[in-house]
Amino acid sequence: MASAGLAYPDRFYAAAAYAGFGGSPQSSAAGASRFQNDVALLLYGLYQQATVGPCTDPKPRAWNPVEHSKWTSWHGLGNMASTEAMRLFVKILEEEDPAWYSRVPELAAESVVDVEMLKPKVEPATVSASENGDSLPETKTISTENGLLLETQDKDVVMEGLGLVSIYDQWVAPSVSGQRPKPRYAHGAAVLQEKMYIFGGNHNGRYLSDVQVLDLKSLTWSRIEAKALAGSLDSSTTGSVAPSAGHSLIPWGDKILSIGGHTKDPSETITVKEFDPQTCLWSNLKTYGKPPISRGGQSVTLVGNTLVIFGGEDAKRSLLNDLHILDLETMTWDDIDAIGTPPAPRSDHAAACHADRYLLIFGGGSHATCFNDLHVLDLQTMEWSRPKQQGVTPGPRAGHAGVTVGENWFIAGGGNNMNGISETLVLNMATLVWSVVTTVQGRVPLASEGLSLVTSTYKGEDFLVSFGGYNGRYSNEVYVLKPSHISDLQSRMIDGPVSDTIAAVLPTTNTSRDMEPEIEGAQDKKIKEIEMDNGDSELNIRNEETIERIVESLKAEKEELESTFNKEQLQNLQIKQELAEAESRNTELTKELQSVRSQLAAEQSRCFKLEVDVAELRQKLQAMEALEKEVELLRRQKAASEQEALSAKQRQDSGGLWGWLAGSPPPEK
């Protein structure tokens, strides 16, 4: 960290003495009382591992719980190297007590002198924020390598936002309004709809859970009262958001995804959360497949519809170098077993994607050292390689941040276990040429670990926006840089044409992944000539000729863009005319449809009346049929009666004749 000027192992022994280890039992007890039990036990185990080595003592008896806990803490570190234990001891102490270095009497004077030496000669007029974090109108100045003073006025910033930054390739601290967030590092940052969202982080060794928003149009801070859904997305029960640090924020559609991170109660596997700015709600997303183990300090890179996760540090502080891919459409994990030599296990590195095919990994740290190596993974063949780099040689660093603008990958901040990194680098990912954009002086948040870096566009120009970090002090400052991309064009002109893919520059080195991180010690003299130095007059002369060529190239590009724009306007006009004709035809068809509907309604009404008439006629027909049956029955009855009467008469007539013949007298009439 930038707060310490001592090198290891002196820095470790100073930290151990401050924490109360290595002295008398009384001082050890007093030092241990400063920390919580779990922290004190971990510090004890790391101190023993660093000074004695792996634990070989027999396990204490169960009736002595203090000695048993101390033995468990030490024995649990296994075969951790002494240097790793030293670095981890100091890191934990800085998280628990960030100001420890300034409280050591023999070191406080040294740190003050170191800071004074890094101050610029011209004293800028500054007004600091109030103690409670409220922002006051102020003018900020950053001293750069060549002594330029960059000033911004609060009134103009509020009116124009990022547009006020007119100078290229220099960091500017604009004035911001609103309630400033709590200072922090190892937080997450993402830009969505011209707003920068900040979530979580670490402050004084405590994880944070707040969501802060910086409106990039007005540069105004505001806080979101976010809640977390309990259970699935369908649940309506809300609760508090779990604090986190070392996670990654990725904008996805109109939501923000949070992947991984260190928490107080870590889960077994990595968590994927989604934040909805409209409802201000966090929710856990359900994933499928085999998820990676829980971790923080990993890199998460958006490649198309997938997230590529590499490395990090798990809940037991073990470093990782595994590779996983999450498909955001199916939410399915895929464990990748790539070929080739992967990067050494690390955390707090930076990653970027070029041409939707190549994953670049730069820097990072282990418990004992920092790296400056560059690794490339071909996402089609899933093969690791170590490409040859050109230009300036980056120094080892961890905790830095990186963003891409076109083919350029900008790297800012970080630390090397001794100091904060002051230069801002850019890597042309097509040519793999490094160059220095700018260098800051003094203990400013830009030379910090754990800062965030995002990109935003204002009136067609790109801006880099930095927030937070830790270099012995926690920061909540915002810095803005407008890249010119001139260094990229110059490297192309000086080096001549190159291939459009990284594969063309891949004679890989045979350097082992376990080597100390120096890329190639001897660089070609021709490459060294293109290092950017703001104070180099000879380079300025070459810049004039280069700028003329750039201007001519930009003019030609402008004419081509204007021609393309005119064609697009003509096509747009034709499309509008066709759209108007289509709308007119649609109106006529709508009228015809309404007329047909009216006719159909009339026909339906007439059909309904006809159906009613038919039903009435059917009822009458049924009644007539019943009458016909009754008439037929009466006819039959009448015929039967007539037949019976006729038969009776015949019998009567027949009886009179036979009676006469028999001598019977006829009946009286």
Side-chain angles (χ1 to χ4, degrees), residues 571-589:
Q571 292 179 359
N572 189 28
L573 181 60
Q574 294 176 351
I575 292 173
K576 286 183 178 180
Q577 292 176 351
E578 294 176 358
L579 182 61
E581 295 176 358
E583 289 179 350
S584 177
R585 290 196 300 269
N586 186 36
T587 302
E588 294 176 358
L589 291 174

Side-chain angles (χ1 to χ4, degrees), residues 120-134:
K121 295 181 179 179
V122 181
E123 286 293 333
T126 62
V127 180
S128 61
S130 62
E131 293 181 359
N132 60 1
D134 293 336

Side-chain angles (χ1 to χ4, degrees), residues 388-394 425-428 431-436 487 491 494-495 519-532:
K388 181 180 292 185
Q389 306 168 70
Q390 303 181 70
V392 300
T393 302
L425 301 174
V426 60
L427 173 69
N428 185 296
T431 62
L432 294 183
V433 176
W434 287 100
S435 57
V436 176
S487 59
S491 64
I494 293 174
D495 292 339
I519 299 177
E520 277 83 21
Q523 296 289 340
D524 190 88
K525 292 183 179 180
K526 178 182 177 181
I527 297 175
K528 288 187 177 180
E529 290 178 357
I530 67 171
E531 294 184 6
M532 302 299 296

Side-chain angles (χ1 to χ4, degrees), residues 354-355 358 407 428-431 492 497-505:
H354 174 58
Y358 300 100
E407 292 185 342
N428 185 296
M429 294 185 289
T431 62
R492 288 176 177 270
V498 294
S499 172
D500 291 335
T501 64
I502 295 179
V505 290

